Amino acid sequence: MKRCISVLTIVAWAGMLVACSGSKIEEASAKSNVTYEIFVRSFADSNGDGIGDFNGITAKLDYLNDGKPGGNDLGVDGIWLMPIQPSPSYHGYDVTDYEAVNPVYGTMEDFKKLTAEAHKRGIRVIMDLVINHSSSQHPWFIDSASGKNSDKRNWYVWAEDQGRDILGSSAAGASEAWHEENGSHYLGIFWEGMPDLNFDEPAVRQEMIRIGKFWLEQGVDGFRLDAAKHIYEDLSTDKNKKTMDKSVDWWMEFRKALEQVKPDVYLVGEVWDATARVGPYLKALDSAFNFDLASNLIADAHSESASNLGFTLSRVHEFYRKSSDGKFVEAPFLSNHDQTRVMTALGNNLDHAKTAASMLLTMPGNAFVYYGEELGMNGNKPDERIREPFPWKREPGSAGETTWEPAEYRGDGTISVEAEDGDAESLLNRYRTLISWRQQDETLRSNSIGEYAVDNKAVMAYLRSAGEKQSAVLHNLSGQPQTVTLPAVSKQLPEAFGKIAFKTDGSAKLEDGKLTLPPYTTVVLHR
């Protein structure tokens, strides 16, 4: 089975086709192509120790997707688990055992139960795979650091062994790239606790392939690949085509091997770089997170001024299609575990948060939502403050909530599932509405976007299509009502869009080719 290239394959993450008609979701497995990023430690606690765990997530799956049509679940059909393997750190990005789960999160059986229950609901599970580096406490590194005669010596990069100068700045932006241990210096481009693995060593590549296969056999559906561009890009001076090509070749080797176990394995990479340097990775990866798009969406929501996103993104997609032989899938998002939370970035403006969500969830491909984003959680650096406990109830510390870290941004409880669940105007219910649109309309979950030029700087507009079906999406980013005259799509399609399929405000109107948008309103038009 080849990599997914058709819209139907993108829609059928769990191998089930979708049948939608009008506003009715006809199957419980209707897809939304939305993946929810979870920091396990913060999400839900099942045993009262204050730390989130696998059983806590399992108990809350119905909040994310109950597997039934209708209802008030969020409607996501994928979850991305941040690192779940043993680690000396709270975040888990320095792994000490690649074939186990962190015992504070539960057992391997608990994890398998989570994946099984997720799959019952049509939710696929991807997990963080951190293989650019290990923990300095991993037995491999301890062995490697013991001396030049170690069996694992060449699994890491030692300057003295390779005749390299202890010079050069870290490509990852850390202050130091080289660190001393037992009289030698090893490469660690993030910090000294994360020594870089040496992918020039065949045994390392073979081991990482074996580990990837192991997790697929445990039930995961794919991986979020941490630091994907740094496999062979260690120092700032390594940022060149040669090292990039080596990294791409490695990921192609990795993918080919994983497809032996799971032909439709989904790989999304963290390639935080300029568009020209992202494209080549799409030869091997299904998706790469679109960091530039995230910045644009937040900037447009904040400024209330629309950019021509349909045109810009369609040109980027042309490049990505050429780079990937047409196989790439867009991966839009607003924020993640490394970035200021959206509500903080938008100055706690609820209207702006809603329009940012509206733009994200009408973008092509597989959209990613960071946990708590749907509630409007706040958070700014340091990292612990953007990974705070998830607020299920108005009062902190209620049963099921995590307490591993004091929640500095918790506030008065109005940002919580309990407070927002029954409020029709809440951000949570706006996310539910928008994700339900994606379930109902295949054009919104396709991988296509195009320009739709309207003469109004307060209105963002673009085209979405799936086969012969086409929609127009328009957002009033401003606090004032806006009226636009709908243009024809092209000379070949002179007929303007004629009906409103979805709208976030019931007073939006389309009459005689003129669309009236109340403040901060999104509509989707059909012919």
Side-chain angles (χ1 to χ4, degrees), residues 123-266:
I123 301 172
R124 71 171 173 181
V125 180
I126 66 173
M127 60 174 276
D128 243 305
L129 193 63
V130 187
I131 61 175
N132 173 76
H133 52 264
S134 74
S135 169
S136 59
Q137 297 181 32
H138 195 293
W140 298 343
F141 183 75
I142 294 172
D143 187 351
S144 182
S146 66
K148 293 186 177 182
N149 294 325
S150 161
D151 291 340
K152 296 289 193 295
R153 183 66 172 185
N154 202 41
W155 282 43
Y156 295 86
V157 182
W158 296 93
E160 288 79 5
D161 294 6
Q162 297 187 6
R164 297 177 63 172
D165 292 328
I166 310 169
L167 301 172
S169 58
S170 165
S175 58
E176 299 290 341
W178 296 99
H179 313 277
E180 192 272 337
E181 182 79 10
N182 293 337
S184 297
H185 294 82
Y186 65 89
L187 192 64
I189 65 169
F190 288 96
W191 72 295
E192 63 183 14
M194 296 177 174
D196 281 33
L197 285 150
N198 178 17
F199 278 79
D200 281 326
E201 169 56 53
V204 170
R205 298 198 302 273
Q206 293 165 12
E207 181 68 4
M208 291 310 174
I209 286 170
R210 191 186 64 79
I211 288 165
K213 289 181 175 180
F214 169 83
W215 285 104
L216 294 179
E217 290 163 353
Q218 308 314 306
V220 304
D221 300 291
F223 302 103
R224 180 263 185 183
L225 302 171
D226 181 70
K229 73 173 185 174
H230 290 296
I231 295 297
Y232 288 104
E233 184 187 85
D234 301 317
L235 304 176
S236 295
T237 52
D238 294 334
K239 290 189 174 184
N240 56 61
K241 188 176 186 302
K242 180 180 178 181
T243 52
M244 181 175 65
D245 288 348
K246 286 181 70 176
S247 290
V248 172
D249 287 346
W250 150 248
W251 290 121
M252 292 177 72
E253 178 185 352
F254 183 72
R255 175 178 205 98
K256 184 177 180 181
L258 295 194
E259 286 178 338
Q260 296 171 4
V261 174
K262 186 175 178 58
D264 61 347
V265 60
Y266 178 70

Side-chain angles (χ1 to χ4, degrees), residues 372-504:
E373 199 167 277
E374 78 280 13
L375 301 177
M377 284 181 67
N378 277 275
N380 211 339
K381 295 281 188 176
D383 287 344
E384 291 88 342
R385 300 275 70 84
I386 53 180
R387 303 168 186 173
E388 289 190 351
F390 184 85
W392 291 100
K393 300 291 185 178
R394 290 180 184 270
E395 292 296 323
S398 302
E401 285 200 352
T402 70
T403 56
W404 71 273
E405 180 82 354
E408 180 177 321
Y409 289 95
R410 177 94 184 202
D412 61 2
T414 55
I415 297 176
S416 64
V417 175
E418 181 182 38
E420 297 186 40
D421 186 41
D423 179 2
E425 299 304 314
S426 70
L427 186 58
L428 172 59
N429 279 308
R430 175 60 57 88
Y431 269 83
R432 288 169 171 167
T433 294
L434 294 164
I435 293 173
S436 77
W437 291 2
R438 291 176 73 93
Q439 291 174 317
Q440 297 170 61
D441 189 342
E442 65 180 315
T443 67
L444 296 182
R445 56 182 188 270
S446 76
N447 201 44
S448 173
I449 191 169
E451 182 180 18
Y452 190 58
V454 296
D455 189 18
N456 188 319
K457 285 298 294 181
V459 177
M460 171 84 75
Y462 39 83
L463 297 176
R464 302 295 316 284
S465 60
E468 294 183 358
K469 295 183 180 179
Q470 196 171 55
S471 301
V473 181
L474 296 96
H475 312 275
N476 180 1
L477 305 182
S478 77
Q480 301 298 319
Q482 303 292 334
T483 299
V484 295
T485 300
L486 297 178
V489 176
S490 66
K491 292 180 180 179
Q492 291 74 31
L493 293 170
E495 180 185 352
F497 290 91
K499 61 181 180 180
I500 297 177
F502 306 105
K503 53 187 175 181
T504 58

Side-chain angles (χ1 to χ4, degrees), residues 3 34 51 53 95 114 127 145 152 208 242 305 309 316 376:
R3 290 176 62 193
V34 178
I51 297 174
D53 47 49
V95 175
L114 167 58
M127 60 174 276
K152 296 289 193 295
M208 291 310 174
K242 180 180 178 181
S305 179
L309 197 58
V316 171

